Amino acid sequence: MDPLAGLLDGPRARGAFMIRACFDPPWCVRVEDRAPLTVMLMVRGEAWIVPDAGERVRLRAGDLAIARGPDPYTCADDPGTAPQAVVLPGGECSYPDGRPLNGSMDLGVRTWGSAVDGQALMLIGTYLWPGEVGGRLLDALPPLLSLTSDTWDCALTPLLMTEIVRDEPGQEVVLDRLLDLLVIAALRAWFSRPGGESPAWYRALADPVVGRALRLIQDDPAYAWTVAGLAAKAGVSRAALARRFVELVGEPPMSYLTGWRLAMAADALREGDRTLEAIAREVGYGSAFALSSAFKRVYGVSPQEFRVRAVGG
């Protein structure tokens, strides 16, 4: 499997929260939903995304931002505008003083804001539960990233605009898959952009030696890899591979392999009800006990505790 494909083979929205947000200035919404991932696609007008910590981002028509939870942030026409509404977990909304909005900003099917024909129009898609987005993907992202319309072209915008306001049987499934496609397209563009802040392992893929070793690990993580075995496949000495791998990836090959296996196990624990024994075999551990011991060392909790927390949202 291509390593980038392996990373992006994670978004699996299930009943995602999707809306068309329409506003006339001044407007400001405080987001405290603790969602693992939210995508904001600016269709018309402008908006500012202002995290509590970190650089703020200005969006113009065609631009996109992705916020990685659980940290709060605000969306506004201007960074100085005071919040008029607060988005809470599960898509619930309130006034800043805590009073429920009770649908006062509903403007139609999956449409919300102050004016249906407002100057600002943004499509928003939110993954509600951690299990819907692979941990490997979340770990590779900054708290807030953005793409401008001159660095990518979103061919999905017209289709999203049409589908987000439709109210037909099975529509949630359609929107879930469109959200997954939007995220994958955006992250592929973000990771590939010149001078981008992509993970070290992604940049290392271009190296003929380390890139080969990374692909071997990705293609068959359950195999009993050793540094010598990876080096032989890559056509270099064991010492040369170890040295170059640390230089480009930032950790030794076996450390990376362990991290990758455990990240795959974490994703599997989030995604379904497979037994720990089955997951252990899939990711290269000889037994559930061996996987459990390694998992607890890295994640601080047992696989069972991790699964309970993840499924509970």
Side-chain angles (χ1 to χ4, degrees):
M1 178 185 291
D2 179 280
L4 182 57
L7 184 70
L8 297 180
D9 187 28
R12 292 287 187 277
R14 296 186 295 271
F17 179 66
M18 292 197 71
I19 61 168
R20 186 177 64 145
C22 312
F23 291 97
D24 274 329
W27 62 273
C28 180
V29 177
R30 171 84 174 167
V31 181
E32 299 179 354
D33 60 4
R34 300 188 62 82
L37 201 72
T38 297
V39 186
M40 293 159 278
L41 176 60
M42 205 74 208
V43 177
R44 183 173 67 235
E46 297 185 355
W48 285 90
I49 313 299
V50 185
D52 284 10
E55 294 294 322
R56 61 194 185 188
V57 168
R58 186 177 189 177
L59 298 181
R60 297 179 175 85
D63 296 351
L64 174 142
I66 295 180
R68 174 174 60 81
D71 296 339
Y73 55 93
T74 59
C75 300
D77 69 305
D78 183 90
T81 303
Q84 299 152 353
V86 181
V87 178
L88 302 168
E92 297 295 322
C93 299
S94 72
Y95 290 103
D97 62 8
R99 290 177 296 125
L101 277 169
N102 292 328
S104 61
M105 296 180 73
D106 291 348
L107 300 173
V109 177
R110 299 186 192 87
T111 303
W112 187 80
S114 62
V116 71
D117 58 350
Q119 294 180 28
L121 171 57
M122 181 187 294
L123 302 183
I124 302 171
T126 299
Y127 291 84
L128 298 177
W129 310 112
E132 296 173 343
V133 187
R136 289 170 291 156
L137 176 55
L138 293 177
D139 290 344
L141 302 179
L144 181 65
L145 66 88
S146 63
L147 288 167
T148 58
S149 59
D150 59 350
T151 60
W152 87 306
D153 180 22
C154 184
L156 292 170
T157 301
L159 185 57
L160 280 165
M161 284 287 290
T162 299
E163 295 292 340
I164 202 168
V165 295
R166 295 182 71 176
D167 190 14
E168 297 184 7
Q171 194 62 19
E172 278 195 353
V173 176
V174 172
L175 292 173
D176 285 349
R177 297 294 74 77
L178 285 175
L179 176 58
D180 291 341
L181 287 172
L182 178 63
V183 169
I184 290 170
L187 293 181
R188 186 169 59 185
W190 187 77
F191 280 127
S192 301
R193 74 202 192 287
E197 301 169 4
S198 52
W201 62 260
Y202 180 74
R203 297 191 300 271
L205 288 172
D207 184 81
V209 172
V210 177
R212 171 67 172 155
L214 285 168
R215 289 183 174 88
L216 288 167
I217 291 171
Q218 286 271 352
D219 287 345
D220 193 3
Y223 185 79
W225 291 113
T226 63
V227 177
L230 289 169
K233 292 284 188 179
V236 295
S237 70
R238 182 181 182 279
L241 174 63
R243 182 175 59 252
R244 189 147 185 82
F245 202 101
V246 171
E247 178 185 332
L248 296 182
V249 180
E251 60 182 324
M254 293 299 98
S255 174
Y256 178 86
L257 174 61
T258 297
W260 189 260
R261 285 172 169 170
L262 293 179
M264 288 184 65
D267 286 350
L269 289 165
R270 289 185 180 101
E271 291 168 2
D273 56 1
R274 278 172 292 169
T275 67
L276 192 59
E277 193 71 38
I279 294 173
R281 290 195 300 270
E282 290 173 11
V283 302
Y285 283 88
S287 67
F289 178 78
L291 171 58
S292 184
S293 297
F295 194 94
K296 191 165 186 176
R297 273 198 310 274
V298 173
Y299 285 84
V301 296
S302 70
Q304 290 85 352
E305 291 174 285
F306 183 89
R307 171 173 271 166
V308 169
R309 294 181 186 182
V311 172

